[in-house]
Amino acid sequence: MSPLAANAGRDRLRIAIQKSGRLADPARSLLAACGLSWRESRDRLFCYGESLPIDLLLVRDDDIPGLIADGVCDLGVVGRNELDEQAAERRRNGLAPAYRELRGLGFGRCRLMLAVPEHWEWRDAAQLESLRIATSYPALVNEWLQAQSVAASVVELSGSVEIAPKLGTADLICDLVSSGATLVANQLKPVETLLDSEAVLAGPVREPDDARAPLAAMLLRRLDGVLKLKDSKVLMFRANAEQVPGLLRLLPDAEPPSRLTAGVEAVNGAGAMQAAAESGLLSLQALCHGAVTWQLLEELERAGAQGLMVLSVERSLV
Ligand code: PRP
Ligand code: ZN
């Protein structure tokens, strides 16, 4: 069977990711952090999963929703902007939803925004009546216009949307904004947000009922572990029991600390354990989601924490 042959009864999971572009490297790093590794083919379009029966297909990001809809791929990492645009297009054509967003992945953040020439005075959407909006997201823009009860025309462009007002082919634009530099360079200003976007993991509306289902479930569980632990640290310290609530209030998004028992013994030896018990100090560890800065450590010390230590977290099943 060729690696890309039909979908029915496959026992390997196939994930589509962007071949090159903004989402390509972070998508691969994220999947690698979930324990996946691949053997690359010479054409670099198909990567055979070595550590698990999970293969990668490297494609253009606008092909990803269709590949999921057609069952060629089981999952895809794609911008929400692309996924939602194609979903809106399906709605417009009276087609049933074919894919859904499973997880926001926290990278590739941007916004789909309406932007107008800098000198315009912006009040509200009613101003757009009879104007021309250049965009690569015609379905989303049309749905938004309908929701605002505004009749404007949508000029579909596949790229270089920002120069349309200067060229006179449109009055304003609707495009992705990340840093905002492209808008500034084209004397445009953002006025309305249609969509907050980021990279997402997308899958079919109906899950497969073969060996791919447990594989997908395992991958999602690992992904949740990775996403949850992103920027997380374990903070170890000693403190009196009565100081713990105050210390916890200082911690960024902390999960309640657990008392170390055997851990202390193994690391510091029984003597340290004995000393801690005699001094009435608890040995604690807290999982913190957020930055644990030097300043924070100093504040914790002033609030009674001793022997502070910050550790990285590599992986976890929680
Ligand atoms: C996107 C978008 C804008 C630009 C916005 O284009 O279409 O042009 O990025 O980014 P900024 O706010 O940081 O300036 P991209 O570079 O992805 O190319 P494309 O439009 O050709 O897809
Ligand atoms: Zn662009």
Side-chain angles (χ1 to χ4, degrees):
M1 197 168 86
S2 104
L4 300 186
N7 44 21
R10 280 195 274 111
D11 55 3
R12 299 181 66 86
L13 200 69
R14 194 178 290 156
I15 308 178
I17 65 166
Q18 199 183 33
K19 180 174 161 56
S20 56
R22 282 170 210 231
L23 308 185
D25 286 342
R28 292 180 76 127
S29 311
L30 183 62
L31 293 172
C34 293
L36 273 58
S37 64
W38 313 274
R39 193 169 64 223
E40 312 244 342
S41 66
R42 206 170 302 151
D43 60 7
R44 294 199 67 245
L45 296 177
F46 185 83
C47 302
Y48 184 83
E50 290 194 311
S51 52
L52 286 165
I54 303 180
D55 306 321
L56 290 189
L57 197 61
L58 310 186
V59 296
R60 277 173 54 109
D61 65 340
D62 43 358
D63 287 337
I64 293 176
L67 289 168
I68 298 172
D70 296 341
V72 176
C73 288
D74 307 300
L75 295 170
V77 177
V78 61
R80 182 179 293 135
N81 51 297
E82 198 55 55
L83 196 71
D84 285 10
E85 169 65 17
Q86 294 196 29
E89 176 71 21
R90 288 181 72 90
R91 280 195 289 278
R92 200 167 69 114
N93 294 324
L95 295 171
Y99 32 73
R100 65 201 169 103
E101 186 178 315
L102 300 172
R103 297 288 188 281
L105 301 178
F107 60 88
R109 286 188 196 281
C110 58
R111 291 195 281 179
L112 181 63
M113 299 192 82
L114 219 56
V116 302
E118 265 166 5
H119 57 86
W120 279 27
E121 205 173 302
W122 178 254
R123 292 183 306 276
D124 56 29
Q127 253 172 293
L128 301 176
E129 194 71 33
S130 305
L131 295 185
R132 298 160 304 160
I133 308 174
T135 188
S136 309
Y137 298 86
L140 286 175
V141 174
N142 272 313
E143 279 194 350
W144 183 81
L145 286 169
Q146 218 163 7
Q148 309 290 320
S149 308
V150 170
S153 52
V154 172
V155 180
E156 183 174 352
L157 296 177
S158 55
S160 305
V161 171
E162 295 89 352
I163 57 167
K166 254 188 241 161
L167 297 178
T169 50
D171 303 296
L172 65 150
I173 69 162
C174 184
D175 198 12
L176 296 179
V177 180
S178 172
S179 66
T182 308
L183 290 186
V184 170
N186 288 280
Q187 290 90 48
L188 296 167
K189 62 177 178 187
V191 291
E192 293 279 343
T193 299
L194 275 67
L195 178 74
D196 278 304
S197 186
E198 64 182 309
V200 303
L201 183 74
V205 172
R206 287 188 41 168
E207 283 176 24
D209 53 7
D210 52 28
R212 290 172 289 169
L215 274 175
M218 181 183 69
L219 182 66
L220 277 177
R221 177 132 192 259
R222 290 187 181 185
L223 193 61
D224 287 340
V226 171
L227 293 175
K228 193 166 178 208
L229 290 181
K230 209 167 149 269
D231 307 319
S232 293
K233 301 280 179 213
V234 167
L235 189 64
M236 295 177 70
F237 57 100
R238 293 188 302 276
N240 285 313
E242 63 268 24
Q243 290 166 325
V244 171
L247 289 167
L248 268 191
R249 276 195 294 276
L250 290 173
L251 292 180
D253 252 343
E255 289 189 3
S258 50
R259 279 178 66 164
L260 284 187
T261 50
V264 169
E265 204 165 8
V267 175
N268 292 339
M273 180 87 162
Q274 181 89 27
E278 279 166 12
S279 65
L281 290 177
L282 298 174
S283 290
L284 301 141
Q285 56 183 354
L287 181 61
C288 302
H289 308 288
V292 180
T293 59
W294 281 110
Q295 194 189 344
L296 180 69
L297 292 183
E298 287 150 6
E299 280 176 43
L300 289 166
E301 198 173 47
R302 281 195 291 276
Q306 298 177 26
L308 283 153
M309 198 162 18
V310 185
L311 289 87
S312 302
V313 189
E314 197 160 329
R315 52 185 69 121
S316 129
L317 287 176
V318 281

